[in-house]
Each structure stands twice: as C-alpha cells, then as structure tokens.
C-alpha cells in the first residue's frame, strides 16, 4: 500500500502498521489512545478522534474531528481524503449526528427530556437558544460544554460550526422559554431552515 511522506501519509502508514492494535484498543485503552493522539497531533494539534464499537459487519468507525475548531477543518478534510481502504474500518470526517440520549460532564447529567430549543434567523445561518433544566450562570462553563456536545450529537460537528450563528444557554424557567420545542425535533427543524431561503422573522 502506497503512502506519501506528508504528515497525513505518515499517519495512515502508522495506522496501517498498527491496525490490529488500534482495532483491539480495549486491551490497553489509555496507552493506545495516547499513541493515536500523539500521531494525529503531528498533523494538527487540534485534531482528535473517536472510535466506535464493533458493528455487526465487524467494522469500527474511526471519526476524525477538529474538536469544534473551525480553523482545523481543512486538516480533517485533508486527512480523511487520504484515508486508505481497510477492511475493519469506516473512516468518517467530523463528528456525525447521533441519537441524543444523555450526556454527563463535570458532575452533571442531562438527558433528552431536560433540553428544549428555539431557532432564530440570522442572515444565512441559524441562531439557537438552548434551555437546559438545571442550568445556572454559576455553572455556565459546565452547561455550555454539555450544550455543545448535545448540538454535535443533534446536528453533527460540521453543521454546528458552519451553519450556526450563535448559541445561548438558559434555564427552562427563562422568560424566553415560551414556544420552545423538545430537542428531539431539532435536527429536522434545523434542516428545514436551509431547504428554503431564510426570511427575516425573529425565530422559526
């Protein structure tokens, strides 16, 4: 298998040479993840990755992510574009959309029934208000991290960074809550905003 001497090519050569080790990462997760991080960060220090469970066809997903940093998006695209075919792997660029169940972070746990949203028209993008049960300003950093993880799950990393103008965080007791929808509706509602030109209404 041919690889050039670019950093991307060297990464894929290393991945190919260590295919079995990476595939069976549960044998020594921390060490193997450190090895992968060390190699992928040689390309761009913002690049990160996720490895999915073994699927019915025997393959795992290997997700290449910019960790939400848009300046690293070209690095994701370049690395993905040079990915080889390996029978045990599905290579994916950017964190994909997933079903929202629950997210735990910073000692807090938030599940789908705890989250609501409203969308706003902002030129050719969409602004989002997230209403999270339990949110408070003193723990804004924790809840905002949870919120962005939820948005990545609902919309995918690429759309969050390229189609979202702003994200605001509120408690469900906010005076803005009236008209908010369940987070379970977000992906379909969000996509519908881009099927037709956005109007000048304050929210959808």
């Amino acid at each position: 298998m041919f690889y050039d001497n670019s950093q991307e090519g060297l990464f894929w050569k290393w991945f190919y040479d260590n295919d079995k080790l990476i595939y069976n990462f549960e044998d020594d997760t921390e060490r193997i993840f450190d090895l992968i991080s060390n190699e992928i960060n040689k390309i761009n220090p913002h690049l990160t990755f996720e490895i999915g469970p073994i699927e019915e066809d025997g393959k795992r997903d290997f997700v290449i992510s910019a960790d939400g940093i848009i300046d690293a998006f070209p690095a994701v695209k370049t690395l993905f574009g040079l990915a080889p075919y390996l029978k045990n792997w599905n290579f994916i660029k950017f964190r994909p959309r997933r079903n929202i169940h629950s997210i735990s972070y910073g000692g807090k746990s938030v599940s789908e029934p705890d989250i609501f949203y409203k969308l706003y028209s902002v030129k050719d993008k969409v602004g989002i208000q997230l209403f999270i049960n339990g949110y408070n300003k003193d723990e804004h950093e924790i809840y905002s991290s949870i919120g962005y993880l939820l948005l990545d799950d609902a919309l995918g990393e690429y759309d969050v960074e390229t189609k979202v103008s702003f994200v605001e965080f509120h408690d469900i007791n906010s005076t803005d809550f009236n008209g908010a929808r369940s987070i379970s509706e977000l992906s379909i509602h969000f996509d519908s905003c881009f099927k037709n030109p956005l109007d000048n209404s304050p929210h959808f």
Side-chain angles (χ1 to χ4, degrees):
M1 189 170 292
F2 173 77
Y3 298 98
D4 63 31
N5 288 321
S6 66
Q7 288 291 350
E8 294 83 3
L10 292 173
F11 173 82
W12 289 122
K13 181 180 185 303
W14 176 86
F15 194 104
Y16 176 81
D17 290 342
N18 292 276
D19 185 344
K20 185 176 180 180
L21 179 74
I22 299 168
Y23 185 83
N24 296 298
F25 71 88
E26 291 99 339
D27 293 342
D28 194 354
T29 301
E30 185 174 352
R31 183 180 72 86
I32 294 169
F33 274 30
D34 284 347
L35 289 172
I36 301 170
S37 294
N38 182 62
E39 294 299 321
I40 204 168
N41 290 159
K42 291 177 182 178
I43 301 167
N44 186 300
H46 298 306
L47 291 186
T48 187
F49 65 93
E50 296 176 0
I51 300 179
I54 299 173
E55 303 292 345
E56 291 184 3
D57 61 1
K59 292 187 175 185
R60 288 187 187 270
D61 290 343
F62 185 88
V63 178
I64 306 165
S65 168
D67 205 22
I69 299 173
I70 199 164
D71 288 346
F73 276 29
V76 172
K77 294 177 181 179
T78 300
L79 183 59
F80 173 80
L82 294 174
Y85 169 77
L86 295 175
K87 67 178 183 178
N88 290 329
W89 297 96
N90 295 312
F91 296 113
I92 299 170
K93 60 181 174 181
F94 304 110
R95 293 182 186 128
R97 295 183 178 189
R98 301 183 174 99
N99 292 328
I100 298 173
H101 297 292
S102 65
I103 288 182
S104 296
Y105 180 85
K108 305 292 181 181
S109 184
V110 175
S111 58
E112 183 181 307
D114 297 316
I115 315 150
F116 301 83
Y117 75 91
K118 290 169 75 173
L119 298 184
Y120 292 81
S121 173
V122 185
K123 296 183 179 180
D124 59 345
K125 294 187 177 183
V126 167
I128 302 175
Q129 284 184 321
L130 279 184
F131 302 89
I132 303 175
N133 187 19
Y135 170 85
N136 63 84
K137 290 183 179 180
D138 290 341
E139 298 177 300
H140 172 79
E141 185 174 345
I142 292 173
Y143 280 101
S144 64
S145 295
I146 289 173
Y148 277 106
L149 290 170
L150 289 164
L151 289 178
D152 274 357
D153 281 353
L155 304 177
E157 178 183 8
Y158 188 85
D159 280 355
V160 170
E161 296 302 323
T162 61
K163 296 181 180 181
V164 174
S165 174
F166 69 83
V167 182
E168 293 181 357
F169 301 94
H170 302 271
D171 182 56
I172 60 173
N173 295 316
S174 166
T175 55
D176 289 339
F177 184 76
N178 186 42
R181 302 190 189 189
S182 167
I183 195 72
S184 62
E185 302 177 38
L186 176 58
S187 59
I188 293 174
H189 189 187
F190 182 88
D191 289 343
S192 73
C193 297
F194 295 93
K195 290 181 180 178
N196 300 297
L198 303 181
D199 60 28
N200 294 317
S201 60
H203 62 85
F204 301 99

